[in-house]
């Protein structure tokens, strides 16, 4: 079997290339330094004792638990949406596919506040307003999950479509010729091969849900001990002048994001 060609550039031999490479490194290095400087500023602003003390408050602990629960539920629901949509978009051609493809990108490209406003207006329509007489949604915990889902699911769908694109349809076609229905071939052949992609989609959706602020702020509000999640905690702590509390929560989110990035990089490396 032929080895895959290396993606790395050949060693530098021509000295005339040095100015170009140094310029590219300098431009890219400025952004890297900016990211490092932001992280260092946050870390150096407070002490571990102050961070621990801030995280012990009742409001912040509530926001941590609500963030963990809502992000997990949003990520699970995102997978239920992303797997069938990603499969259909990957395997089939149908009328309106390009329009659907563009529609799925709208939650990604829209300003977050607009997403929240759209949800808020949607649930003011007569049918959904009548529903809320029995099941409170707006400015309640379910609205947090819906606001996170509205954006996170779009990223999960993109991930699952790429996953199914990378799975050869040959084994699925063999299963169909052996008597399996389309559904049986999907459950027995395609889905087991997409496990790593599903884990990646879940992780991306979970991380996106954890950091969602704009839609949650508009659709759910920022009520203490009710609809407060970690991003809104940062906003509320800043609004009352508690910079140490805001920094403590931001450091917690940075730590979680770093762990998630390591997991994603590990999964990506394992596929090579």
């Amino acid at each position: 079997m032929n080895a895959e060609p290396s993606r790395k550039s050949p060693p530098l031999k021509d000295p005339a290339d040095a100015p170009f490479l140094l310029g590219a490194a300098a431009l890219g290095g400025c952004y890297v330094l900016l990211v490092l400087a932001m992280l260092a500023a946050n870390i150096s602003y407070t002490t571990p004792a102050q961070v621990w003390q801030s995280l012990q408050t009742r409001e912040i602990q509530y926001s941590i638990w609500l963030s963990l629960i809502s992000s997990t539920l949003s990520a699970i629901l995102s997978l239920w949406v992303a797997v069938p949509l990603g499969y259909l978009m990957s395997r089939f051609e149908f009328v309106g596919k390009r329009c659907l493809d563009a529609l799925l990108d709208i939650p990604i490209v829209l300003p977050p506040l607009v997403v929240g406003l759209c949800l808020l207006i949607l649930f003011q329509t007569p049918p959904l307003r009548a529903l809320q007489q029995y099941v409170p949604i707006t400015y309640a915990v379910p609205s947090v999950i819906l606001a996170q889902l509205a954006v996170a699911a779009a990223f999960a769908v993109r991930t699952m479509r790429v996953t199914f694109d990378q799975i050869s349809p040959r084994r699925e076609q063999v299963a169909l010729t052996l008597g399996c229905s389309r559904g049986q071939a999907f459950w027995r052949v395609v889905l087991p091969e997409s496990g790593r992609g599903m884990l990646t989609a879940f992780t991306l959706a979970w991380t996106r849900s954890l950091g969602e602020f704009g839609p949650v702020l508009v659709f759910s509000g920022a009520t203490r001990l009710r609809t407060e999640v970690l991003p809104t905690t940062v906003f509320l702590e800043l609004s009352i002048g508690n910079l140490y509390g805001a920094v403590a929560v931001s450091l917690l989110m940075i730590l979680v994001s770093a762990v998630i990035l390591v997991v994603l990089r590990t999964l990506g490396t394992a596929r090579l």
Side-chain angles (χ1 to χ4, degrees), residues 241-256:
N242 183 13
L243 194 54
Y244 288 108
V247 170
V249 175
S250 66
L251 287 175
L252 177 63
M253 296 181 70
I254 290 172
L255 177 62
V256 172

PDB file of all heavy atoms in Angstrom, residues 241-256:
ATOM      1  N   GLY A 241     -19.743  45.198  39.821  1.00  0.00           N
ATOM      2  CA  GLY A 241     -18.387  45.598  40.162  1.00  0.00           C
ATOM      3  C   GLY A 241     -17.543  44.532  40.817  1.00  0.00           C
ATOM      4  O   GLY A 241     -16.458  44.830  41.330  1.00  0.00           O
ATOM      5  N   ASN A 242     -18.009  43.289  40.814  1.00  0.00           N
ATOM      6  CA  ASN A 242     -17.238  42.201  41.425  1.00  0.00           C
ATOM      7  C   ASN A 242     -16.329  41.586  40.358  1.00  0.00           C
ATOM      8  O   ASN A 242     -16.630  40.543  39.786  1.00  0.00           O
ATOM      9  CB  ASN A 242     -18.175  41.149  42.016  1.00  0.00           C
ATOM     10  CG  ASN A 242     -17.407  40.041  42.727  1.00  0.00           C
ATOM     11  OD1 ASN A 242     -16.211  40.161  42.997  1.00  0.00           O
ATOM     12  ND2 ASN A 242     -18.101  38.957  43.040  1.00  0.00           N
ATOM     13  N   LEU A 243     -15.215  42.242  40.104  1.00  0.00           N
ATOM     14  CA  LEU A 243     -14.311  41.793  39.055  1.00  0.00           C
ATOM     15  C   LEU A 243     -13.662  40.459  39.408  1.00  0.00           C
ATOM     16  O   LEU A 243     -13.421  39.625  38.529  1.00  0.00           O
ATOM     17  CB  LEU A 243     -13.239  42.858  38.807  1.00  0.00           C
ATOM     18  CG  LEU A 243     -12.410  42.709  37.524  1.00  0.00           C
ATOM     19  CD1 LEU A 243     -13.313  42.619  36.304  1.00  0.00           C
ATOM     20  CD2 LEU A 243     -11.439  43.868  37.376  1.00  0.00           C
ATOM     21  N   TYR A 244     -13.388  40.248  40.701  1.00  0.00           N
ATOM     22  CA  TYR A 244     -12.766  38.990  41.107  1.00  0.00           C
ATOM     23  C   TYR A 244     -13.689  37.800  40.820  1.00  0.00           C
ATOM     24  O   TYR A 244     -13.235  36.742  40.384  1.00  0.00           O
ATOM     25  CB  TYR A 244     -12.412  39.025  42.591  1.00  0.00           C
ATOM     26  CG  TYR A 244     -11.247  39.929  42.899  1.00  0.00           C
ATOM     27  CD1 TYR A 244     -11.440  41.149  43.555  1.00  0.00           C
ATOM     28  CD2 TYR A 244      -9.952  39.587  42.529  1.00  0.00           C
ATOM     29  CE1 TYR A 244     -10.370  41.992  43.839  1.00  0.00           C
ATOM     30  CE2 TYR A 244      -8.871  40.417  42.805  1.00  0.00           C
ATOM     31  CZ  TYR A 244      -9.085  41.621  43.453  1.00  0.00           C
ATOM     32  OH  TYR A 244      -8.031  42.455  43.718  1.00  0.00           O
ATOM     33  N   GLY A 245     -14.989  37.980  41.070  1.00  0.00           N
ATOM     34  CA  GLY A 245     -15.933  36.908  40.769  1.00  0.00           C
ATOM     35  C   GLY A 245     -16.015  36.634  39.287  1.00  0.00           C
ATOM     36  O   GLY A 245     -16.061  35.477  38.859  1.00  0.00           O
ATOM     37  N   ALA A 246     -16.017  37.696  38.475  1.00  0.00           N
ATOM     38  CA  ALA A 246     -16.068  37.528  37.020  1.00  0.00           C
ATOM     39  C   ALA A 246     -14.825  36.810  36.512  1.00  0.00           C
ATOM     40  O   ALA A 246     -14.905  35.936  35.645  1.00  0.00           O
ATOM     41  CB  ALA A 246     -16.218  38.893  36.350  1.00  0.00           C
ATOM     42  N   VAL A 247     -13.654  37.182  37.057  1.00  0.00           N
ATOM     43  CA  VAL A 247     -12.409  36.542  36.646  1.00  0.00           C
ATOM     44  C   VAL A 247     -12.397  35.076  37.057  1.00  0.00           C
ATOM     45  O   VAL A 247     -11.946  34.199  36.297  1.00  0.00           O
ATOM     46  CB  VAL A 247     -11.198  37.288  37.242  1.00  0.00           C
ATOM     47  CG1 VAL A 247      -9.908  36.492  37.014  1.00  0.00           C
ATOM     48  CG2 VAL A 247     -11.065  38.667  36.627  1.00  0.00           C
ATOM     49  N   ALA A 248     -12.902  34.770  38.251  1.00  0.00           N
ATOM     50  CA  ALA A 248     -12.935  33.383  38.728  1.00  0.00           C
ATOM     51  C   ALA A 248     -13.769  32.509  37.794  1.00  0.00           C
ATOM     52  O   ALA A 248     -13.358  31.401  37.416  1.00  0.00           O
ATOM     53  CB  ALA A 248     -13.485  33.333  40.147  1.00  0.00           C
ATOM     54  N   VAL A 249     -14.940  33.014  37.400  1.00  0.00           N
ATOM     55  CA  VAL A 249     -15.805  32.245  36.500  1.00  0.00           C
ATOM     56  C   VAL A 249     -15.166  32.125  35.121  1.00  0.00           C
ATOM     57  O   VAL A 249     -15.226  31.060  34.493  1.00  0.00           O
ATOM     58  CB  VAL A 249     -17.191  32.905  36.403  1.00  0.00           C
ATOM     59  CG1 VAL A 249     -18.057  32.184  35.370  1.00  0.00           C
ATOM     60  CG2 VAL A 249     -17.881  32.889  37.760  1.00  0.00           C
ATOM     61  N   SER A 250     -14.542  33.187  34.638  1.00  0.00           N
ATOM     62  CA  SER A 250     -13.894  33.124  33.324  1.00  0.00           C
ATOM     63  C   SER A 250     -12.747  32.127  33.327  1.00  0.00           C
ATOM     64  O   SER A 250     -12.540  31.398  32.342  1.00  0.00           O
ATOM     65  CB  SER A 250     -13.401  34.511  32.910  1.00  0.00           C
ATOM     66  OG  SER A 250     -12.369  34.958  33.772  1.00  0.00           O
ATOM     67  N   LEU A 251     -11.993  32.067  34.424  1.00  0.00           N
ATOM     68  CA  LEU A 251     -10.907  31.083  34.518  1.00  0.00           C
ATOM     69  C   LEU A 251     -11.452  29.662  34.512  1.00  0.00           C
ATOM     70  O   LEU A 251     -10.857  28.757  33.913  1.00  0.00           O
ATOM     71  CB  LEU A 251     -10.077  31.331  35.778  1.00  0.00           C
ATOM     72  CG  LEU A 251      -9.150  32.549  35.754  1.00  0.00           C
ATOM     73  CD1 LEU A 251      -8.495  32.740  37.119  1.00  0.00           C
ATOM     74  CD2 LEU A 251      -8.090  32.406  34.673  1.00  0.00           C
ATOM     75  N   LEU A 252     -12.584  29.458  35.173  1.00  0.00           N
ATOM     76  CA  LEU A 252     -13.215  28.139  35.162  1.00  0.00           C
ATOM     77  C   LEU A 252     -13.610  27.755  33.742  1.00  0.00           C
ATOM     78  O   LEU A 252     -13.383  26.615  33.311  1.00  0.00           O
ATOM     79  CB  LEU A 252     -14.437  28.140  36.082  1.00  0.00           C
ATOM     80  CG  LEU A 252     -15.257  26.848  36.116  1.00  0.00           C
ATOM     81  CD1 LEU A 252     -14.420  25.690  36.654  1.00  0.00           C
ATOM     82  CD2 LEU A 252     -16.513  27.036  36.964  1.00  0.00           C
ATOM     83  N   MET A 253     -14.177  28.696  32.997  1.00  0.00           N
ATOM     84  CA  MET A 253     -14.578  28.411  31.621  1.00  0.00           C
ATOM     85  C   MET A 253     -13.361  28.176  30.725  1.00  0.00           C
ATOM     86  O   MET A 253     -13.395  27.331  29.820  1.00  0.00           O
ATOM     87  CB  MET A 253     -15.432  29.559  31.088  1.00  0.00           C
ATOM     88  CG  MET A 253     -16.746  29.742  31.836  1.00  0.00           C
ATOM     89  SD  MET A 253     -17.760  31.084  31.175  1.00  0.00           S
ATOM     90  CE  MET A 253     -18.248  30.384  29.607  1.00  0.00           C
ATOM     91  N   ILE A 254     -12.283  28.910  30.969  1.00  0.00           N
ATOM     92  CA  ILE A 254     -11.052  28.695  30.203  1.00  0.00           C
ATOM     93  C   ILE A 254     -10.509  27.290  30.457  1.00  0.00           C
ATOM     94  O   ILE A 254     -10.078  26.595  29.532  1.00  0.00           O
ATOM     95  CB  ILE A 254     -10.003  29.759  30.571  1.00  0.00           C
ATOM     96  CG1 ILE A 254     -10.412  31.128  30.030  1.00  0.00           C
ATOM     97  CG2 ILE A 254      -8.624  29.380  30.030  1.00  0.00           C
ATOM     98  CD1 ILE A 254      -9.544  32.263  30.513  1.00  0.00           C
ATOM     99  N   LEU A 255     -10.536  26.865  31.719  1.00  0.00           N
ATOM    100  CA  LEU A 255     -10.054  25.526  32.062  1.00  0.00           C
ATOM    101  C   LEU A 255     -10.877  24.456  31.369  1.00  0.00           C
ATOM    102  O   LEU A 255     -10.321  23.507  30.792  1.00  0.00           O
ATOM    103  CB  LEU A 255     -10.103  25.342  33.578  1.00  0.00           C
ATOM    104  CG  LEU A 255      -9.705  23.961  34.106  1.00  0.00           C
ATOM    105  CD1 LEU A 255      -8.256  23.654  33.748  1.00  0.00           C
ATOM    106  CD2 LEU A 255      -9.904  23.881  35.620  1.00  0.00           C
ATOM    107  N   VAL A 256     -12.198  24.607  31.401  1.00  0.00           N
ATOM    108  CA  VAL A 256     -13.069  23.627  30.747  1.00  0.00           C
ATOM    109  C   VAL A 256     -12.805  23.612  29.244  1.00  0.00           C
ATOM    110  O   VAL A 256     -12.711  22.544  28.624  1.00  0.00           O
ATOM    111  CB  VAL A 256     -14.549  23.953  31.044  1.00  0.00           C
ATOM    112  CG1 VAL A 256     -15.463  23.060  30.202  1.00  0.00           C
ATOM    113  CG2 VAL A 256     -14.845  23.775  32.524  1.00  0.00           C
TER     114      VAL A 256
END
